[in-house]
Structure formats: structure tokens, C-alpha cells
Amino acid sequence: TVLISNNAEIVKIVSKNGGISSTIRSMVCNPCDDQVQLAGCHSLRCIAVDSDLTKTVICSAGGISAILSALLNHPKQCEIQKEAINLLHLLTTITSNTQMLKSSFIHFDICGLLLNAVENFPSECANNVRDILKRFKKSSSAADVYSIDEKFGPDVDKKKLK
């Protein structure tokens, strides 16, 4: 797993506690295996509850990309969508993690993935997607906000999705 952070403390934690990186590696190596994706998202979410540093470690170890891939590859799997959205919701409580999510715009249609989750599983995903989008809009450029507004409307933070 390639780390995108230069923070020595984060690198040390990931190296010492191989559970995070091995979970992400399993998700990346088995993108179509619904059981691996579900277990990976669930495990990372449980680990992420511990601390802000752990949330940053997950993102720095490639977690955002693995989560977005799970959303992309399993659009009709309610439990995977719910776990992935819940995990993104938890991770994006940290501004730097929201920035990492923003940088994934190059490889993923993030708004499309979030919209899919809301459309297919509104009661499971809509509230957390709304919160993710609010955080995303706070830290995004005008072009990114336009994309969000185009898909969800400009008042996403003031309304309940679906």
C-alpha cells in the first residue's frame, strides 16, 4: 500500500499495525468480492471510531479509494453501500480526509456514487450522504461545488435527501 502522507507518526502506526493496510489491500485486490468489501468497510469503520489519528491513517493508506471502489463495484448491495457511506461519513469528520476525498474526483464520479447510494437506499444512506456533501462543499472549489449543486441542488445542507 502506498502512503500519501508524509507524517512519520502515521507511517509508523500503519507499519506497526498491519491490520488497516492489509484490510485495504484485501479490498483493492478483490474489488468484485462482495463479502470482502462488506467485511473491509465494516472493519475499517469499527477501527476508525477509535481516534482522529486512526481515521487519518485509514485515508493515508488508500482507504478512500478502496471505499469508493466498493461503492462503484457494488451499486445494488445495500449493506455494502450503507457500510461504505457510514465509513466515509466517519472519515470526513477530519478536514484533511475530506480533502483526500476531494482529490479522488479525478478517478471517481464521487457525486454519482453518492447519488446512487441515496437513490437505491434512501433510508440507509441519505442522511450521511447529506453530511458528507456539506463537509465536501465547505472544503471545495467553485467547480466542485457546481458539480455537487448540479446533482443534488444548491441547498443540499438544508434539506433531507429523499
Side-chain angles (χ1 to χ4, degrees), residues 135-149:
R135 294 171 188 152
F136 197 71
K137 283 179 77 169
K138 279 184 184 177
S139 67
S140 294
S141 69
D144 294 338
V145 170
Y146 173 77
S147 178
I148 292 167
D149 290 347

Side-chain angles (χ1 to χ4, degrees), residues 3 13 21 33 37 55-56 59 80-81 83 90 92 94 97-98 109 113 118 120 132 136-137 150 152 157:
L3 296 179
I13 290 172
S21 58
D33 187 322
Q37 299 306 309
K55 293 172 192 169
T56 302
C59 292
I80 294 172
Q81 294 288 305
E83 283 292 337
L90 186 61
T92 57
I94 310 297
N97 293 348
T98 304
D109 173 15
L113 292 173
V118 170
N120 289 326
I132 293 166
F136 197 71
K137 283 179 77 169
E150 185 178 29
F152 292 95
D157 54 334

